[in-house]
Amino acid sequence: MDVYHAVRTRQSIRAFTSEPVDRAVLERVLEAATRSPSGGNLQPWHIYVLSGDPLAELKKRVGDRIAAGDSGDEREFAVYPPDMGSPYRERIADMGARRYGAIGIARDDAAGRAQARAQNWNCFGASTALFCYLDRDMPAPQWADAGMYLQTVMLLLRQEGLHSCAQIAWSEYHRAVAQTIAPPPERILFCGMSIGHPDPEVPHPHSVRAPLSETVTFLD
């Protein structure tokens, strides 16, 4: 698989089979991903990979909280701008319509959307999950470095025939994740990532990307 094909076929999968992911494959991917760029070679990411009993424990812990009506922990950082303007507002609305529409959930079906969204914390059925932490004193450039690292991981997973879904949603239950992982207190959870094999019985629509003219300016 060449890099262009890996980029084209990478997508956020939101329905996985329970098939386990080979530990040797994960180690190969994560070893190669250490070559991701980072300013000053700080390599600011701290990665935890969960499967088996630890992941099952985490899924149950959050699932029990959701079932009890718990809407999550106090946010440690903003995920989106508080007043999202155009064209971002339209893009996120289009993504939601495509995602929920593909699985037959209407725009006005709040309960159905909430139920589908809750699958985030079941890792969409995946058998493996990765959690990315950074030191709390790291400024924005190091968070960007972590993003580049995670993209590298996702592309390498494609090379291995695997899929993934990066999930900032895990930051909504960061205390539950910390109860399972027990990271040092100086670290903050950035996001999770579900990893595995897509369920062939569930549609996996691609989101639409903006044309190049909307996001790129060439100055010749």
Side-chain angles (χ1 to χ4, degrees):
M1 181 183 297
D2 66 28
V3 176
Y4 281 93
H5 185 68
V7 171
R8 283 194 301 268
T9 59
R10 188 221 61 81
Q11 64 180 120
S12 296
I13 296 298
R14 294 185 173 88
F16 293 87
T17 70
S18 59
E19 182 180 350
V21 177
D22 191 324
R23 169 74 172 267
V25 171
L26 290 171
E27 290 182 352
R28 183 162 59 242
V29 164
L30 296 174
E31 175 65 30
T34 64
R35 299 305 306 172
S36 298
S38 63
N41 197 31
L42 296 188
Q43 304 165 71
W45 46 81
H46 299 279
I47 305 301
Y48 301 83
V49 181
L50 274 63
S51 60
D53 290 343
L55 183 57
E57 173 192 328
L58 175 58
K59 289 179 178 182
K60 183 179 187 305
R61 178 175 285 124
V62 178
D64 288 347
R65 289 179 60 179
I66 293 171
D70 186 335
S71 59
D73 302 317
E74 183 179 354
R75 290 274 194 184
E76 295 196 285
F77 58 87
V79 173
Y80 296 116
D83 298 308
M84 195 179 301
S86 183
Y88 314 112
R89 181 177 60 250
E90 291 82 5
R91 289 175 185 168
I92 198 171
D94 177 73
M95 185 202 73
R98 291 175 184 274
R99 174 189 170 187
Y100 295 116
I103 53 178
I105 298 176
R107 181 182 181 84
D108 60 352
D109 184 359
R113 288 190 170 216
Q115 185 176 13
R117 190 169 185 273
Q119 286 302 304
N120 269 286
W121 302 292
N122 186 43
C123 297
F124 301 109
S127 63
T128 302
L130 173 157
F131 294 90
C132 179
Y133 281 77
L134 292 93
D135 288 359
R136 293 178 182 275
D137 60 356
M138 290 293 178
Q142 278 69 61
W143 288 65
D145 291 345
M148 288 189 284
Y149 169 85
L150 294 169
Q151 170 77 337
T152 301
V153 169
M154 289 187 281
L155 295 180
L156 290 167
L157 288 170
R158 291 299 304 118
Q159 172 65 32
E160 298 286 353
L162 296 166
H163 275 279
S164 61
C165 183
Q167 298 164 270
I168 201 76
W170 277 105
S171 66
E172 297 178 33
Y173 288 91
H174 59 88
R175 295 187 191 280
V177 179
Q179 284 179 305
T180 300
I181 291 176
E186 66 270 17
R187 292 179 187 170
I188 183 172
L189 177 63
F190 176 20
C191 71
M193 181 191 298
S194 295
I195 299 171
H197 304 270
D199 185 341
E201 302 299 319
V202 177
H204 304 285
H206 280 271
S207 55
V208 175
R209 295 300 193 253
L212 209 61
S213 58
E214 283 189 21
T215 59
V216 177
T217 300
F218 290 97
L219 301 176
D220 297 324

